[in-house]
Amino acid sequence: MNVKKFLVSGIAGGIINFLLGWIHYGILFKNTFPSNGNENISFIFLGCLTFGLFTAYIFTKWTGISNWITGFGAGTIIGLFIALYMFFLPMQ
């Protein structure tokens, strides 16, 4: 496993995940998860960073992704399963 590729893609993925979550849940759909003022942004960022490193590990270790086309295909499948996972979880 190429450690440099893993770290760069994991950190970039975590930052993008955090920013897209902020745009999605913080600006566009505020009522989906209403704020109560007790959110800890650093823990949210660390969670996004962990998820970015997790998906980077999958991409660099378990699959033979070498260009953006195969990465896009694998990302679509992984994203579909994550979306289904979140869809079937009960919301309170």
Side-chain angles (χ1 to χ4, degrees):
M1 176 173 69
N2 189 348
V3 177
K4 182 179 178 183
K5 186 187 292 186
F6 164 70
L7 289 176
V8 169
S9 61
I11 291 170
I15 291 170
I16 290 170
N17 187 9
F18 178 78
L19 292 175
L20 288 176
W22 172 65
I23 290 170
H24 186 233
Y25 295 115
I27 296 174
L28 296 176
F29 302 105
K30 286 184 180 181
N31 295 331
T32 303
F33 295 108
S35 175
N36 61 6
N38 292 333
E39 293 82 12
N40 191 338
I41 297 297
S42 58
F43 280 133
I44 294 172
F45 180 75
L46 287 175
C48 292
L49 187 63
T50 303
F51 187 75
L53 290 170
F54 170 67
T55 53
Y57 182 79
I58 290 173
F59 274 57
T60 57
K61 179 76 172 171
W62 293 342
T63 58
I65 296 171
S66 59
N67 58 30
W68 74 271
I69 295 172
T70 56
F72 183 78
T76 302
I77 293 170
I78 292 170
L80 175 70
F81 280 113
I82 291 171
L84 285 172
Y85 158 74
M86 294 181 77
F87 177 75
F88 290 125
L89 285 177
M91 299 293 287
Q92 295 185 17

